[in-house]
């Protein structure tokens, strides 16, 4: 990928300018120390590759910033942050997801998962279909099926915005997932639900 971008940039001046702008912005985006023990131990500056052909350094300029410091910086920064952190695009209230990751991430908090379910209901339904057909579970302690079924009991937040996911890309994803569900599973699905914990207060875990 790096080589392909470099070749394109060498042949196209406008692309070169755009790539430089993207690279400068990308350097301002990094995982902070609070997002996991591995990221906390990672140095803010390190050399990730060094050989006779190239030296590649990694710089994480805001790694040790607090969440409040990042929010304050974005008050005046020319680089917009992802809208998913807000209750709705442009709200600037920081009441959306606590982290920017996959739409439905197994490492996310329950609040973030519930918010994502509300924002991408068609994707959530596809996850639920995988659970129901394959006998699997999104997490050991949560099933997407139950989080969809009992949003009030789970304390689901107002999504603020709903993505229709009605394009050809999502249709192709559905077809790929359903084709995979017809194949023999590579692990015993019941292992993913061994704790039988209920994801919703007041509701029994699935049998």
């Amino acid at each position: 990928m790096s080589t392909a971008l470099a070749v394109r940039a060498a042949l196209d001046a406008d692309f070169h300018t755009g790539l430089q702008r993207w690279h400068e912005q990308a350097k301002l985006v990094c995982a902070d120390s609070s997002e996991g023990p591995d990221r906390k131990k990672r140095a803010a500056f390190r050399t990730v590759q060094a050989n006779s052909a190239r030296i590649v350094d990694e710089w994480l300029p805001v790694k040790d910033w607090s969440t409040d410091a990042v929010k304050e910086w974005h008050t005046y920064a020319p680089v917009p942050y992802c809208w998913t952190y807000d209750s709705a695009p442009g709200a600037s209230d920081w009441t959306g997801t606590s982290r920017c990751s996959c739409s439905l991430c197994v490492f996310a908090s329950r609040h973030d998962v519930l918010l994502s379910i509300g924002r991408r209901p068609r994707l959530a339904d596809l996850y639920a279909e995988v659970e129901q057909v394959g006998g699997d579970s999104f997490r050991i302690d949560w099933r997407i099926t139950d989080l969809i079924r009992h949003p009030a009991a789970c304390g689901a937040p107002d999504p603020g915005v709903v993505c229709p996911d009605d394009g050809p890309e999502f249709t192709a994803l559905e077809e790929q997932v359903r084709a995979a569900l017809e194949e023999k599973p590579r692990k015993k699905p019941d292992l993913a639900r061994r704790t039988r914990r209920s994801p919703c207060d007041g509701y029994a875990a699935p049998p």
Side-chain angles (χ1 to χ4, degrees), residues 24-82:
E24 290 301 318
Q25 293 179 351
K27 288 193 296 185
L28 298 175
V29 180
C30 79
D32 63 66
S33 298
S34 64
E35 290 195 348
D38 291 338
R39 293 175 179 177
K40 186 175 183 179
K41 291 185 292 185
R42 184 182 300 179
F45 182 88
R46 63 173 181 160
T47 299
V48 296
Q49 179 181 355
N51 54 41
S52 59
R54 66 174 62 183
I55 297 176
V56 179
D57 295 326
E58 178 186 73
W59 178 42
L60 308 177
V62 301
K63 174 180 178 291
D64 295 321
W65 287 21
S66 66
T67 300
D68 288 339
V70 173
K71 292 179 180 179
E72 181 180 359
W73 182 83
H74 271 293
T75 302
Y76 309 101
V79 182
Y81 60 87
C82 182

Side-chain angles (χ1 to χ4, degrees), residues 85-197:
Y85 287 110
D86 290 334
S87 60
S92 300
D93 55 10
W94 297 94
T95 60
T97 57
S98 60
R99 60 199 294 268
C100 188
S101 58
C102 302
S103 293
L104 288 169
C105 177
V106 295
F107 299 110
S109 66
R110 188 170 72 168
H111 172 274
D112 285 4
V113 172
L114 288 167
L115 188 58
S116 296
I117 288 174
R119 287 177 169 178
R120 301 195 65 185
R122 190 176 177 188
L123 178 64
D125 287 340
L126 186 59
Y127 272 72
E129 184 176 337
V130 172
E131 289 181 336
Q132 294 161 11
V133 175
D136 212 334
S137 181
F138 177 69
R139 277 179 37 165
I140 292 176
D141 47 352
W142 301 340
R143 295 177 76 233
I144 294 294
T145 303
D146 296 308
L147 296 178
I148 294 173
R149 185 181 300 148
H150 309 303
C154 295
D158 183 350
V161 60
V162 177
C163 302
D165 284 324
D166 55 1
E169 295 86 358
F170 192 88
T171 300
L173 174 64
E174 282 184 322
E175 294 173 352
Q176 292 173 354
V177 169
R178 287 166 181 164
L181 289 175
E182 295 179 358
E183 300 178 2
K184 184 178 179 180
R186 291 177 293 179
K187 67 178 180 67
K188 187 178 180 180
D190 193 51
L191 291 176
R193 292 194 285 134
R194 61 181 180 271
T195 60
R196 306 298 190 200
R197 291 176 56 188

